[in-house]
PDB file of all heavy atoms in Angstrom:
ATOM      1  N   MET A 954     103.103  37.176 120.213  1.00 51.00           N
ATOM      2  CA  MET A 954     102.684  38.559 119.987  1.00 51.00           C
ATOM      3  C   MET A 954     101.358  38.602 119.289  1.00 51.00           C
ATOM      4  O   MET A 954     101.120  37.892 118.326  1.00 51.00           O
ATOM      5  CB  MET A 954     103.754  39.287 119.114  1.00 51.00           C
ATOM      6  CG  MET A 954     103.943  40.668 119.539  1.00 51.00           C
ATOM      7  SD  MET A 954     104.148  41.857 118.229  1.00 51.00           S
ATOM      8  CE  MET A 954     102.663  41.656 117.251  1.00 51.00           C
ATOM      9  N   LYS A 955     100.509  39.527 119.744  1.00 52.00           N
ATOM     10  CA  LYS A 955      99.184  39.665 119.095  1.00 52.00           C
ATOM     11  C   LYS A 955      99.307  40.653 117.961  1.00 52.00           C
ATOM     12  O   LYS A 955      99.900  41.730 118.094  1.00 52.00           O
ATOM     13  CB  LYS A 955      98.175  40.143 120.143  1.00 52.00           C
ATOM     14  CG  LYS A 955      96.750  39.777 119.804  1.00 52.00           C
ATOM     15  CD  LYS A 955      95.897  39.967 121.087  1.00 52.00           C
ATOM     16  CE  LYS A 955      94.441  39.938 120.849  1.00 52.00           C
ATOM     17  NZ  LYS A 955      93.905  40.028 119.532  1.00 52.00           N
ATOM     18  N   ILE A 956      98.730  40.325 116.819  1.00 55.00           N
ATOM     19  CA  ILE A 956      98.732  41.253 115.690  1.00 55.00           C
ATOM     20  C   ILE A 956      97.566  42.227 115.862  1.00 55.00           C
ATOM     21  O   ILE A 956      96.404  41.829 116.028  1.00 55.00           O
ATOM     22  CB  ILE A 956      98.563  40.493 114.375  1.00 55.00           C
ATOM     23  CG1 ILE A 956      99.745  39.530 114.183  1.00 55.00           C
ATOM     24  CG2 ILE A 956      98.471  41.435 113.216  1.00 55.00           C
ATOM     25  CD1 ILE A 956     101.092  40.126 114.230  1.00 55.00           C
ATOM     26  N   MET A 957      97.850  43.509 115.926  1.00 57.00           N
ATOM     27  CA  MET A 957      96.840  44.498 116.179  1.00 57.00           C
ATOM     28  C   MET A 957      96.090  44.904 114.933  1.00 57.00           C
ATOM     29  O   MET A 957      94.922  45.139 114.907  1.00 57.00           O
ATOM     30  CB  MET A 957      97.484  45.804 116.731  1.00 57.00           C
ATOM     31  CG  MET A 957      98.300  45.559 118.006  1.00 57.00           C
ATOM     32  SD  MET A 957      97.379  44.745 119.288  1.00 57.00           S
ATOM     33  CE  MET A 957      96.268  46.025 119.756  1.00 57.00           C
ATOM     34  N   THR A 958      96.819  44.946 113.774  1.00 59.00           N
ATOM     35  CA  THR A 958      96.211  45.501 112.592  1.00 59.00           C
ATOM     36  C   THR A 958      95.315  44.510 111.871  1.00 59.00           C
ATOM     37  O   THR A 958      95.534  43.320 111.863  1.00 59.00           O
ATOM     38  CB  THR A 958      97.306  46.009 111.639  1.00 59.00           C
ATOM     39  OG1 THR A 958      96.654  46.678 110.575  1.00 59.00           O
ATOM     40  CG2 THR A 958      98.164  44.889 111.049  1.00 59.00           C
ATOM     41  N   GLU A 959      94.250  45.051 111.304  1.00 72.00           N
ATOM     42  CA  GLU A 959      93.391  44.289 110.463  1.00 72.00           C
ATOM     43  C   GLU A 959      93.535  44.779 109.007  1.00 72.00           C
ATOM     44  O   GLU A 959      92.734  44.430 108.179  1.00 72.00           O
ATOM     45  CB  GLU A 959      91.874  44.513 110.909  1.00 72.00           C
ATOM     46  CG  GLU A 959      91.563  43.962 112.294  1.00 72.00           C
ATOM     47  CD  GLU A 959      91.406  42.454 112.262  1.00 72.00           C
ATOM     48  OE1 GLU A 959      90.581  41.967 111.507  1.00 72.00           O
ATOM     49  OE2 GLU A 959      92.056  41.743 113.093  1.00 72.00           O
ATOM     50  N   GLU A 960      94.543  45.598 108.853  1.00 81.00           N
ATOM     51  CA  GLU A 960      94.706  46.208 107.521  1.00 81.00           C
ATOM     52  C   GLU A 960      95.071  45.210 106.436  1.00 81.00           C
ATOM     53  O   GLU A 960      95.721  44.196 106.726  1.00 81.00           O
ATOM     54  CB  GLU A 960      95.894  47.244 107.612  1.00 81.00           C
ATOM     55  CG  GLU A 960      95.506  48.522 108.215  1.00 81.00           C
ATOM     56  CD  GLU A 960      96.725  49.419 108.308  1.00 81.00           C
ATOM     57  OE1 GLU A 960      97.433  49.399 109.285  1.00 81.00           O
ATOM     58  OE2 GLU A 960      96.891  50.213 107.374  1.00 81.00           O
ATOM     59  N   PHE A 962      97.261  44.783 103.087  1.00 97.00           N
ATOM     60  CA  PHE A 962      98.389  45.489 102.420  1.00 97.00           C
ATOM     61  C   PHE A 962      98.427  45.065 100.964  1.00 97.00           C
ATOM     62  O   PHE A 962      98.134  43.935 100.578  1.00 97.00           O
ATOM     63  CB  PHE A 962      99.697  45.085 103.112  1.00 97.00           C
ATOM     64  CG  PHE A 962      99.787  45.600 104.520  1.00 97.00           C
ATOM     65  CD1 PHE A 962      99.441  44.743 105.598  1.00 97.00           C
ATOM     66  CD2 PHE A 962     100.053  46.953 104.752  1.00 97.00           C
ATOM     67  CE1 PHE A 962      99.420  45.258 106.877  1.00 97.00           C
ATOM     68  CE2 PHE A 962     100.022  47.420 106.057  1.00 97.00           C
ATOM     69  CZ  PHE A 962      99.738  46.548 107.117  1.00 97.00           C
ATOM     70  N   THR A1016     103.926  46.698 103.820  1.00 98.00           N
ATOM     71  CA  THR A1016     104.495  46.397 105.151  1.00 98.00           C
ATOM     72  C   THR A1016     105.682  45.564 105.002  1.00 98.00           C
ATOM     73  O   THR A1016     105.883  44.808 104.032  1.00 98.00           O
ATOM     74  CB  THR A1016     103.414  45.733 106.054  1.00 98.00           C
ATOM     75  OG1 THR A1016     103.947  45.693 107.435  1.00 98.00           O
ATOM     76  CG2 THR A1016     103.136  44.294 105.632  1.00 98.00           C
ATOM     77  N   MET A1017     106.606  45.681 105.964  1.00 98.00           N
ATOM     78  CA  MET A1017     107.886  44.965 105.973  1.00 98.00           C
ATOM     79  C   MET A1017     107.845  43.911 107.130  1.00 98.00           C
ATOM     80  O   MET A1017     107.511  44.272 108.263  1.00 98.00           O
ATOM     81  CB  MET A1017     108.984  45.994 106.183  1.00 98.00           C
ATOM     82  CG  MET A1017     110.389  45.471 106.042  1.00 98.00           C
ATOM     83  SD  MET A1017     110.747  45.063 104.307  1.00 98.00           S
ATOM     84  CE  MET A1017     112.177  44.008 104.594  1.00 98.00           C
ATOM     85  N   HIS A1040     104.573  50.326 106.736  1.00 98.00           N
ATOM     86  CA  HIS A1040     103.989  49.898 108.010  1.00 98.00           C
ATOM     87  C   HIS A1040     105.012  49.071 108.774  1.00 98.00           C
ATOM     88  O   HIS A1040     105.727  48.225 108.211  1.00 98.00           O
ATOM     89  CB  HIS A1040     102.749  49.037 107.694  1.00 98.00           C
ATOM     90  CG  HIS A1040     101.966  48.628 108.854  1.00 98.00           C
ATOM     91  ND1 HIS A1040     100.941  49.379 109.371  1.00 98.00           N
ATOM     92  CD2 HIS A1040     102.083  47.556 109.649  1.00 98.00           C
ATOM     93  CE1 HIS A1040     100.417  48.732 110.392  1.00 98.00           C
ATOM     94  NE2 HIS A1040     101.095  47.622 110.593  1.00 98.00           N
ATOM     95  N   THR A1041     105.213  49.392 110.130  1.00 97.00           N
ATOM     96  CA  THR A1041     106.302  48.766 110.887  1.00 97.00           C
ATOM     97  C   THR A1041     105.922  47.834 112.007  1.00 97.00           C
ATOM     98  O   THR A1041     106.708  47.388 112.783  1.00 97.00           O
ATOM     99  CB  THR A1041     107.236  49.880 111.449  1.00 97.00           C
ATOM    100  OG1 THR A1041     106.419  50.717 112.264  1.00 97.00           O
ATOM    101  CG2 THR A1041     107.915  50.637 110.376  1.00 97.00           C
ATOM    102  N   GLU A1042     104.603  47.496 112.079  1.00 96.00           N
ATOM    103  CA  GLU A1042     104.145  46.661 113.178  1.00 96.00           C
ATOM    104  C   GLU A1042     104.870  45.282 113.214  1.00 96.00           C
ATOM    105  O   GLU A1042     105.017  44.687 114.260  1.00 96.00           O
ATOM    106  CB  GLU A1042     102.610  46.451 113.038  1.00 96.00           C
ATOM    107  CG  GLU A1042     102.064  45.657 114.204  1.00 96.00           C
ATOM    108  CD  GLU A1042     100.554  45.399 114.062  1.00 96.00           C
ATOM    109  OE1 GLU A1042      99.915  46.042 113.241  1.00 96.00           O
ATOM    110  OE2 GLU A1042     100.067  44.549 114.810  1.00 96.00           O
ATOM    111  N   PHE A1043     105.329  44.803 112.058  1.00 97.00           N
ATOM    112  CA  PHE A1043     105.909  43.460 111.975  1.00 97.00           C
ATOM    113  C   PHE A1043     107.451  43.538 111.928  1.00 97.00           C
ATOM    114  O   PHE A1043     108.056  42.526 111.537  1.00 97.00           O
ATOM    115  CB  PHE A1043     105.362  42.686 110.775  1.00 97.00           C
ATOM    116  CG  PHE A1043     103.833  42.801 110.654  1.00 97.00           C
ATOM    117  CD1 PHE A1043     103.288  43.249 109.485  1.00 97.00           C
ATOM    118  CD2 PHE A1043     103.029  42.473 111.710  1.00 97.00           C
ATOM    119  CE1 PHE A1043     101.898  43.368 109.340  1.00 97.00           C
ATOM    120  CE2 PHE A1043     101.631  42.586 111.620  1.00 97.00           C
ATOM    121  CZ  PHE A1043     101.074  43.015 110.440  1.00 97.00           C
ATOM    122  N   VAL A1044     108.006  44.663 112.229  1.00 98.00           N
ATOM    123  CA  VAL A1044     109.451  44.758 112.295  1.00 98.00           C
ATOM    124  C   VAL A1044     109.880  44.345 113.735  1.00 98.00           C
ATOM    125  O   VAL A1044     109.432  44.967 114.678  1.00 98.00           O
ATOM    126  CB  VAL A1044     109.984  46.191 111.976  1.00 98.00           C
ATOM    127  CG1 VAL A1044     111.523  46.237 112.092  1.00 98.00           C
ATOM    128  CG2 VAL A1044     109.573  46.609 110.613  1.00 98.00           C
ATOM    129  N   ARG A1045     110.621  43.276 113.909  1.00 97.00           N
ATOM    130  CA  ARG A1045     111.055  42.793 115.200  1.00 97.00           C
ATOM    131  C   ARG A1045     112.448  43.298 115.512  1.00 97.00           C
ATOM    132  O   ARG A1045     113.263  43.419 114.576  1.00 97.00           O
ATOM    133  CB  ARG A1045     111.040  41.299 115.216  1.00 97.00           C
ATOM    134  CG  ARG A1045     109.716  40.626 114.941  1.00 97.00           C
ATOM    135  CD  ARG A1045     108.853  40.645 116.200  1.00 97.00           C
ATOM    136  NE  ARG A1045     107.506  40.062 115.944  1.00 97.00           N
ATOM    137  CZ  ARG A1045     106.494  40.832 115.463  1.00 97.00           C
ATOM    138  NH1 ARG A1045     106.622  42.090 115.254  1.00 97.00           N
ATOM    139  NH2 ARG A1045     105.355  40.231 115.209  1.00 97.00           N
TER     140      ARG A1045
END
Side-chain angles (χ1 to χ4, degrees):
M954 218 220 56
K955 203 165 168 346
I956 299 303
M957 304 304 290
T958 186
E959 294 282 308
E960 280 178 272
F962 296 99
T1016 192
M1017 187 72 198
H1040 186 90
T1041 56
E1042 185 183 343
F1043 314 125
V1044 179
R1045 300 279 178 272

